[in-house]
Amino acid sequence: MTSHIPLRIAVVQFSPKIGQVQVNVARARELCRQLKPRSIDLVCLPEMIMSGYNFQDAQAISPYLEHPKKGPTSQFCSELAGRLKCYVFAGYPEKLTDEEAPLSKEESTSEAGNSQTVGANSAVLYGPNGEWVGHYRKTNLFVTDKSWAKPGTGFATFLLPSPLRTLSFGICNDLNVSDSDIWTPEDGPYEIADYALSQNANILVLLNAWLDSGKEEFEDTDWDTLNYWAARLRPLWVNNLAGPNTNEIVEEDNENANGKEMIVVVCNRTGEENGKTFAGSSAIYSMRQGYGRPKLLDMMGRKEEGVRVWNILV
């Protein structure tokens, strides 16, 4: 008989005030106050949660770029991880090192012509003693990022103690392979899903600042967004019963599927910034290779603010 161990993950979802870093840090600290030491294995906070996300250009975001290990996001994560004796992920706008920073505006201007590379859309991971464990830079930049950010060079995986074990990681638009607003299953590859499978990960975490779909706006849950996230992770759950001469994909429950289960955590923000509305709807999925459907285990509302704790067996 296979034994299972509990995995305890918390996501923090709220509406930060753009450019009001200390206000947002105080809000995050207030929401996390309910969490008790040793009650959580991993806490996730969204993409650029302390600075806000929707900056118009490099000049606008420059005052809020943070030095790794020294900025307010790193300090918050270190403090929270040390207090709770757990791991803490959070997104932040990273300031480029002197070696990476361009010497002039002309050197920093990208092929787009009107964007300037001054930082990176990054995330940081801290451990149970408040120690820095690692960081990651967003690889597939969204159009908003391209006005100021340098892309990362690939996805990341962290090998952590049980029950977290092998944890792959990405930020928001890392789910996508292009800037196209129209996606079909034939578009592949699925990139971050394939990467997580290649790493034999048991957990995939995505820190997002994902925009609301604008559909069924009076519904508490943004189902269109939740379905899109699941669709982009199709290789983690698809039941491919294709024969040697067909590419048919069968999407129906396969109770006999024995593929490895992967827990997918999507931590998103809510609220509005400069005319853009965010989807909220932070969620946790169970995805098993060959099963045929993703399982949505729980989700938050699109406007909900708070901390949601998930206890599952892995």
Side-chain angles (χ1 to χ4, degrees), residues 27-250:
R27 178 63 170 150
R29 187 174 289 121
E30 174 189 6
L31 292 174
C32 292
R33 191 169 291 123
Q34 64 178 280
L35 300 174
K36 305 300 182 184
R38 305 186 187 281
S39 67
I40 297 292
D41 299 303
L42 176 68
V43 178
C44 302
L45 293 97
E47 177 181 13
M48 290 174 57
I49 189 61
M50 303 307 183
S51 62
Y53 176 73
N54 198 31
F55 292 92
Q56 295 180 343
D57 52 35
Q59 183 178 0
I61 198 172
S62 288
Y64 308 104
L65 298 175
E66 302 181 23
H67 289 284
K69 304 182 184 180
K70 298 179 181 179
T73 302
S74 290
Q75 292 175 5
F76 171 84
C77 290
S78 176
E79 171 192 305
L80 185 65
R83 180 176 75 83
L84 297 180
K85 303 303 178 186
C86 73
Y87 290 87
V88 177
F89 260 132
Y92 74 105
E94 179 187 354
K95 185 176 180 65
L96 296 181
T97 64
D98 292 339
E99 291 76 15
E100 293 178 293
L103 298 177
S104 67
K105 183 176 181 180
E106 288 72 24
E107 289 178 319
S108 70
T109 301
S110 75
E111 294 179 0
N114 60 353
S115 59
Q116 190 178 356
T117 303
V118 294
N121 186 333
S122 301
V124 67
L125 175 64
Y126 274 80
N129 294 315
E131 77 279 14
W132 185 86
V133 175
H135 76 122
Y136 168 78
R137 288 178 173 176
K138 186 176 183 178
T139 297
N140 292 332
L141 300 183
F142 188 56
V143 61
T144 305
D145 307 311
K146 291 179 180 180
S147 68
W148 64 272
K150 177 180 181 177
T153 57
F155 306 125
T157 294
F158 297 96
L159 302 179
L160 304 174
S162 182
L164 294 171
R165 295 179 290 172
T166 307
L167 189 154
S168 290
F169 178 77
I171 300 175
C172 202
N173 207 52
D174 283 333
L175 273 171
N176 293 326
V177 296
S178 72
D179 293 328
S180 173
D181 292 329
I182 302 175
W183 173 85
T184 66
E186 290 74 28
D187 284 342
Y190 298 80
E191 289 209 357
I192 199 164
D194 290 330
Y195 169 80
L197 288 174
S198 74
Q199 299 299 301
N200 199 29
N202 54 291
I203 303 173
L204 173 61
V205 172
L206 295 161
L207 304 187
N208 290 3
W210 199 280
L211 296 177
D212 193 275
S213 68
K215 299 179 180 179
E216 299 179 329
E217 57 184 303
F218 297 108
E219 289 284 337
D220 181 59
T221 301
D222 190 346
W223 290 109
D224 190 77
T225 291
L226 289 167
N227 288 329
Y228 182 85
W229 290 338
R232 291 301 301 146
L233 296 167
R234 187 183 177 94
L236 303 184
W237 52 263
V238 70
N239 179 10
N240 189 349
L241 300 181
N245 300 314
T246 178
N247 291 321
E248 180 185 7
I249 299 295
V250 179

